[in-house]
Amino acid sequence: LIATLGETTATPYFIYRLRDTMLSSPTGRRILRDRPRITSQTMSLLYLRKLPESSVGRTYASWLDREGVTPDTRDSVKYIDDEECAYVMQRYRECHDFYHALTGLPVMVEGEVALKAFEFANTLLPMAGLSMFAATRLKPAERKRFWHIYLPWAFHSGLWCKDIINVYWEEELERDVDDMRIELGIEKPPDLRWTRKQLAFQRKSSRENSDHTGAFYA
């Protein structure tokens, strides 16, 4: 359903705009000509795991392993008739996990909403923008963190970085990931998993202190 909505809201204007963004770039034109696919068959995770830790490929593989996902989780495009535009949408979907890897955002709802906000600012695809409504599902503390930290980061980075659809990831796997972020103009947001763990630890410590205090006065 989400994939279908993404396709129907992207046509006709927005997917043509994204295609034109690719056509305006030499790299984007090569991607459209070659039409590479990102799957477990075309992207050897065994090879990527052997790359230096600081490489784009190793960062991508480590993120997949940490989050328990594979390159095969993206639906095929079904409702865009134009063959080239259908490929553009497919490429956008299959590159999504590279954006996760570069930003460090996890697959939990809070991380996905932040990344979709980043994608919307960069690509203007309506579905990415509509996905931000999932912020209403967040707990109050998470929602506050999204509005005050991750949404401002997403819009700033997404608007100011280069067009991420024009990255030929297959050719950048051995490159230093920090150099890649600098070239694209992507700043990593605060580590969401670390932030959540720290807050959970603080809440646990606070409860334990309260229990000890209560036991002392009892």
Side-chain angles (χ1 to χ4, degrees):
L1 178 60
I2 293 177
T4 300
L5 184 61
E7 294 174 33
T8 55
T9 56
T11 53
Y13 172 74
F14 295 98
I15 196 64
Y16 283 113
R17 179 193 173 279
L18 196 59
R19 189 229 18 218
D20 290 346
T21 297
M22 298 184 74
L23 288 173
S24 69
S25 160
T27 302
R29 290 195 294 272
R30 283 200 301 114
I31 295 171
L32 287 175
R33 182 193 66 206
D34 300 343
R35 297 194 181 182
R37 297 292 305 274
I38 299 175
T39 68
S40 57
Q41 283 72 45
T42 63
M43 196 72 64
S44 171
L45 293 181
L46 184 62
Y47 161 71
L48 296 180
R49 293 183 185 115
K50 295 178 180 179
L51 291 175
E53 288 188 12
S54 61
S55 66
V56 170
R58 178 71 174 275
T59 301
Y60 171 69
S62 296
W63 184 88
L64 291 175
D65 291 340
R66 183 170 64 251
E67 300 297 329
V69 296
T70 76
D72 301 319
T73 56
R74 304 299 158 196
D75 292 329
S76 297
V77 174
K78 299 177 181 178
Y79 302 105
I80 297 179
D81 294 330
D82 185 280
E83 184 180 351
E84 189 170 54
C85 287
Y87 174 75
V88 172
M89 177 60 77
Q90 191 69 43
R91 180 69 177 178
Y92 160 74
R93 287 178 181 171
E94 292 178 2
C95 291
H96 178 77
D97 288 341
F98 273 101
Y99 311 153
H100 266 295
L102 253 66
T103 61
L105 289 167
V107 295
M108 64 184 69
V109 174
E110 191 175 356
E112 286 288 358
V113 173
L115 188 63
K116 283 299 182 181
F118 167 80
E119 290 180 356
F120 175 66
N122 192 262
T123 68
L124 296 183
L125 286 176
M127 188 57 211
L130 291 172
S131 296
M132 289 189 290
F133 282 102
T136 58
R137 296 169 49 197
L138 299 175
K139 297 176 181 178
E142 296 171 343
R143 197 157 52 243
K144 181 179 180 181
R145 191 159 55 230
F146 172 72
W147 288 114
H148 290 278
I149 298 176
Y150 291 96
L151 184 62
W153 162 82
F155 278 179
H156 178 268
S157 290
L159 287 170
W160 288 101
C161 77
K162 294 182 179 179
D163 295 308
I164 52 178
I165 194 66
N166 286 330
V167 179
Y168 210 137
W169 296 104
E170 294 86 346
E171 297 178 352
E172 305 290 352
L173 298 174
E174 298 183 6
R175 186 171 179 184
D176 183 87
V177 68
D178 287 331
D179 288 345
M180 191 79 208
R181 292 188 184 106
I182 292 172
E183 179 180 312
L184 293 175
I186 296 176
E187 296 180 10
K188 284 188 69 177
D191 188 319
L192 184 55
R193 283 199 180 277
W194 183 87
T195 299
R196 290 167 65 99
K197 287 179 181 179
Q198 286 295 110
L199 291 174
F201 176 77
Q202 292 173 8
R203 288 194 296 267
K204 180 180 179 181
S205 297
S206 179
R207 286 196 300 269
E208 290 176 349
N209 289 336
S210 296
D211 292 342
H212 292 159
T213 300
F216 175 79
Y217 283 106

